[in-house]
Amino acid sequence: MGRCRCRCCSPRGLWMLSAPCCDDRRMCVCPGPRRIGIPVRSSSLPLFSDAMPAPTQLFFPLIRNCELSRIYGTACYCHHKHLCCSPPYIPQSRPRYTPHPAYATFYRPKESWWQYTQGRRYASTPQKFYLTPPQVNSILKANEYSFKVPEFDGKNVSSVLGFDSNQLPANAPIEDRRSAATCLQTRGMLLGVFDGHAGCACSQAVSERLFYYIAVSLLPHETSLEIENAVESGRALLPILQWHKHPNDYFSKEASKLYFNSLRTYWQELIDLNTGESADIDVKEALINAFKRLDNDISMEAQVGDPNSFLNYLVLRVAFSGATACVAHVDGVDLHVANTGDSRAMLGVQEEDGSWSAVTLSNDHNAQNEREVERLKLEHPKNEAKSVVKQDRLLGLLMPFRAFGDVKFKWSIDLQKRVIESGPDQLNDNEYTKFIPPNYYTPPYLTAEPEVTYHRLRPQDKFLVLATDGLWETMHRQDVVRIVGEYLTGMHHQQPIAVGGYKVTLGQMHGLLTERRAKMSSVFEDQNAATHLIRHAVGNNEFGAVDHERLSKMLSLPEELARMYRDDITIIVVQFNSHVVGAYQNQEQ
């Protein structure tokens, strides 16, 4: 019995305690990585528990129609049952991080994982239960969406052929969001993934609003005036965006008027600032301004409040929760990526020999980025150098160093107390909102300002992968690009099977080769590149091949356990039109 060494106990976690685990490390009883260092499920906080029209039960209908005990018995089975399946010893006196005594009870789970499972008397006899391939596909494909750019006169004149997207939840409800839209009054396409924490309220709001702020920032002066005059006279507005959304990707109708009024105030200010001179709009500057202005509006709406009690509660939930964002703007051969937080953008490049290489177009804003750590330290007094980043988290609590919302890391203590005291009872009674981060002296500690990367597309640039950190925690960037590249081209450059130091028998090696041949002959069962990538992220074994048994177990985990093993995964795969990109290149030569 020893300290668990599985990936969920990596430095990304905060209060991960010593827990017994089986030697082969296949299943572990310790909680998974957390974005905020509070070891309770985010959905257990009533303040942030949003319910989506497509409930998470959609992803677990098979569990509720079968015996949960059979699934549990398989998922927790190991050869070292006396080590892994005995009650874990959790030392109460030496956690990795000790919260303030006043909030100690708030930071502890109400019941341990062992108490939770024992209280329900699951079957102790391991029984094999696996989802069938059609059942697995039903879960994986529930949220997939594909869009192909329409052709004109039989030709596609866009540098984007289309995109595939998908989501797989781990939280209940899922805290990730995604958005894609075509700019109608300007050129280009916008695509983005949004990773929420402390609930899904902020990620939902940002996914609805950010693209409008970007589109307005890119509008010519004359078009902005025309839209404002239409609003003044009550005429129909020019459409700004054409959305490409899955039916489960919804809009908050109740807040649409509030959101529109804030957006209108923004474009009115842009009109006043613009002299009307014809000048090229700087896309990088427009992206930065849009991110910062939306975050400012989220903060101001929460401070001002709303006479409508529902909206008043909504804007406070949005402000006190948080979200990261990774957005791509594609216009011809000009690709801009604006990133705030730890989601990533990865470019898939096909080399002359047909192999694939990954080009990173974003930087993670967390403790692994030394420049981010240095930036934070420079923005605050020297006597805070040791406390501003503690245990790889902002003030010892928050993993991303840039995010929307999260006003607990931006507002002064007086402002927080004033808003909470004047807010609804649900807010005033919530322990999380009343908690003040330790060593909180010189706010703001957090910003939503994005880091913008520009890349000029080349014919060899075949696709772009935008994904939340749930994917990058499980797969290396080179593997992501190779899997997507092979899927899109149908060409597989076989590498020698790497066993990673494992002792493999001749029979096991034969099985691996047989599995590889079967995979080649089937030419993939997925019709969506993002779905195919999720299948590998969740089901890959130690040899890099999709293991149906492992995939079935991971998808069979009930809501109470799924978050212990992985995070929400949201992926958008954008496919570029090499012929159009090459034509742009030839015109300029």
Side-chain angles (χ1 to χ4, degrees):
M1 193 179 299
R3 182 176 292 274
C4 173
R5 299 170 303 214
C6 68
R7 59 168 292 277
C8 61
C9 292
S10 66
R12 295 179 64 85
L14 179 56
W15 294 308
M16 306 296 107
L17 307 179
S18 172
C21 181
C22 49
D23 293 339
D24 58 13
R25 291 179 281 172
R26 293 180 182 175
M27 304 299 290
C28 170
V29 298
C30 58
R34 293 288 178 186
R35 189 174 286 273
I36 293 183
I38 300 175
V40 293
R41 295 173 62 244
S42 60
S43 59
S44 66
L45 298 176
L47 179 65
F48 309 119
S49 56
D50 273 314
M52 295 180 62
T56 53
Q57 282 82 346
L58 174 66
F59 304 97
F60 301 99
L62 307 169
I63 297 175
R64 288 175 170 76
N65 295 333
C66 303
E67 294 180 18
L68 185 60
S69 60
R70 292 190 296 156
I71 302 173
Y72 171 80
T74 303
C76 207
Y77 176 72
C78 68
H79 297 292
H80 308 280
K81 196 173 183 66
H82 62 288
L83 296 180
C84 183
C85 299
S86 58
Y89 167 69
I90 301 179
Q92 299 295 330
S93 58
R94 294 192 302 165
R96 281 184 60 183
Y97 178 83
T98 304
H100 192 279
Y103 305 99
T105 56
F106 170 63
Y107 278 92
R108 283 198 299 269
K110 293 182 179 178
E111 53 182 352
S112 69
W113 178 85
W114 178 256
Q115 292 169 329
Y116 181 86
T117 55
Q118 288 299 295
R120 283 153 179 77
R121 297 182 180 276
Y122 292 111
S124 59
T125 303
Q127 301 180 42
K128 288 191 175 183
F129 174 89
Y130 302 123
L131 301 174
T132 64
Q135 290 172 331
V136 168
N137 289 339
S138 176
I139 296 174
L140 290 179
K141 298 181 179 183
N143 272 330
E144 68 178 15
Y145 178 83
S146 296
F147 174 77
K148 302 300 179 186
V149 174
E151 297 180 347
F152 297 95
D153 296 329
K155 296 182 180 180
N156 188 333
V157 296
S158 171
S159 58
V160 176
L161 285 173
F163 69 87
D164 294 333
S165 70
N166 202 351
Q167 292 182 302
L168 184 67
N171 292 290
I174 185 172
E175 295 178 340
D176 281 6
R177 294 293 186 270
R178 57 184 166 173
S179 291
T182 300
C183 299
L184 298 179
Q185 301 305 320
T186 58
R187 301 177 305 176
M189 178 177 283
L190 288 165
L191 308 105
V193 293
F194 312 94
D195 192 348
H197 47 266
C200 58
C202 189
S203 58
Q204 175 63 35
V206 174
S207 70
E208 294 180 30
R209 306 176 66 180
L210 181 58
F211 285 9
Y212 280 115
Y213 280 72
I214 295 174
V216 164
S217 301
L218 294 170
L219 286 177
H221 181 70
E222 296 77 12
T223 307
S224 299
L225 281 174
E226 186 177 349
I227 292 175
E228 174 59 22
N229 292 334
V231 175
E232 281 289 342
S233 59
R235 292 184 284 112
L237 287 177
L238 292 171
I240 298 177
L241 295 173
Q242 178 188 357
W243 291 95
H244 311 299
K245 280 187 172 286
H246 187 278
N248 293 347
D249 301 333
Y250 67 102
F251 281 94
S252 303
K253 295 181 180 179
E254 299 83 358
S256 58
K257 184 177 180 180
L258 172 67
Y259 292 169
F260 176 80
N261 290 337
S262 295
L263 180 66
R264 184 186 179 188
T265 302
Y266 178 45
W267 81 54
Q268 287 174 338
E269 293 179 9
L270 291 176
I271 291 174
D272 294 339
L273 291 172
N274 197 323
T275 60
E277 299 176 359
S278 58
D280 293 335
I281 296 176
D282 188 335
V283 177
K284 178 178 179 179
E285 183 180 354
L287 289 168
I288 294 174
N289 291 339
F291 272 63
K292 293 170 66 176
R293 179 52 183 255
L294 174 56
D295 189 56
N296 181 73
D297 284 353
I298 289 173
S299 176
M300 291 304 299
E301 288 162 1
Q303 294 178 45
V304 174
D306 194 279
N308 182 302
S309 59
F310 175 82
L311 286 180
N312 190 42
Y313 185 41
L314 174 63
V315 296
L316 289 168
R317 289 164 56 209
V318 171
F320 277 91
S321 57
T324 66
C326 186
V327 173
H329 179 264
V330 188
D331 180 9
V333 293
D334 297 320
L335 170 62
H336 289 83
V337 174
N339 183 55
T340 291
D342 51 9
S343 295
R344 293 182 192 170
M346 203 68 60
L347 187 68
V349 181
Q350 190 170 29
E351 306 296 345
E352 292 183 359
D353 61 356
S355 62
W356 295 94
S357 61
V359 176
T360 304
L361 295 182
S362 63
N363 296 311
D364 292 353
H365 299 137
N366 54 27
Q368 279 64 53
N369 185 337
E370 294 182 1
R371 289 189 300 174
E372 271 297 284
V373 175
E374 189 62 26
R375 176 188 66 83
L376 271 172
K377 291 181 178 180
L378 290 175
E379 291 178 354
H380 298 276
K382 290 184 178 180
N383 59 356
E384 294 186 53
K386 294 183 179 180
S387 61
V388 67
V389 177
K390 198 171 184 179
Q391 294 179 310
D392 288 344
R393 293 175 183 255
L394 181 64
L395 297 178
L397 294 174
L398 190 65
M399 190 179 297
F401 290 172
R402 303 192 193 191
F404 287 91
D406 282 321
V407 294
K408 293 192 67 59
F409 298 88
K410 299 173 182 177
W411 289 355
S412 67
I413 295 177
D414 290 340
L415 178 58
Q416 291 188 43
K417 290 181 178 179
R418 188 164 64 249
V419 171
I420 292 171
E421 290 172 359
S422 61
D425 292 339
Q426 301 100 310
L427 185 75
N428 199 31
D429 294 341
N430 190 278
E431 295 292 338
Y432 171 74
T433 58
K434 292 191 294 184
F435 171 71
I436 302 298
N439 303 305
Y440 196 76
Y441 305 120
T442 56
Y445 290 90
L446 193 65
T447 179
E449 180 175 344
E451 187 175 5
V452 180
T453 304
Y454 172 76
H455 178 82
R456 186 171 181 81
L457 292 175
R458 308 160 297 174
Q460 61 265 37
D461 300 331
K462 301 300 182 182
F463 59 88
L464 175 72
V465 177
L466 300 172
T468 55
D469 62 345
L471 174 68
W472 310 112
E473 289 172 355
T474 59
M475 298 188 70
H476 189 272
R477 62 176 186 170
Q478 189 61 44
D479 293 331
V480 169
V481 167
R482 176 184 57 80
I483 290 169
V484 174
E486 291 179 352
Y487 170 83
L488 293 176
T489 61
M491 298 173 59
H492 308 275
H493 295 269
Q494 300 295 349
Q495 301 293 331
I497 292 181
V499 296
Y502 290 89
K503 294 182 179 179
V504 180
T505 65
L506 183 61
Q508 290 172 325
M509 181 60 71
H510 178 266
L512 291 171
L513 293 172
T514 303
E515 184 178 355
R516 171 186 278 188
R517 184 173 62 182
K519 176 181 174 182
M520 289 291 297
S521 62
S522 65
V523 196
F524 303 116
E525 55 193 296
D526 298 315
Q527 307 300 316
N528 182 295
T531 303
H532 187 70
L533 197 49
I534 290 177
R535 187 184 301 274
H536 278 267
V538 178
N540 268 10
N541 58 20
E542 58 268 33
F543 305 112
V546 176
D547 183 343
H548 176 73
E549 179 180 335
R550 174 183 173 82
L551 184 60
S552 175
K553 289 180 179 179
M554 293 298 289
L555 295 179
S556 300
L557 290 172
E559 295 173 356
E560 294 81 4
L561 297 179
R563 185 58 182 87
M564 296 182 182
Y565 298 98
R566 59 177 179 82
D567 196 359
D568 297 330
I569 300 176
T570 298
I571 301 171
I572 299 178
V573 178
V574 188
Q575 190 172 1
F576 298 122
N577 190 332
S578 299
H579 299 293
V580 172
V581 172
Y584 272 101
Q585 198 174 54
N586 294 332
Q587 289 176 0
E588 297 177 354
Q589 290 178 350

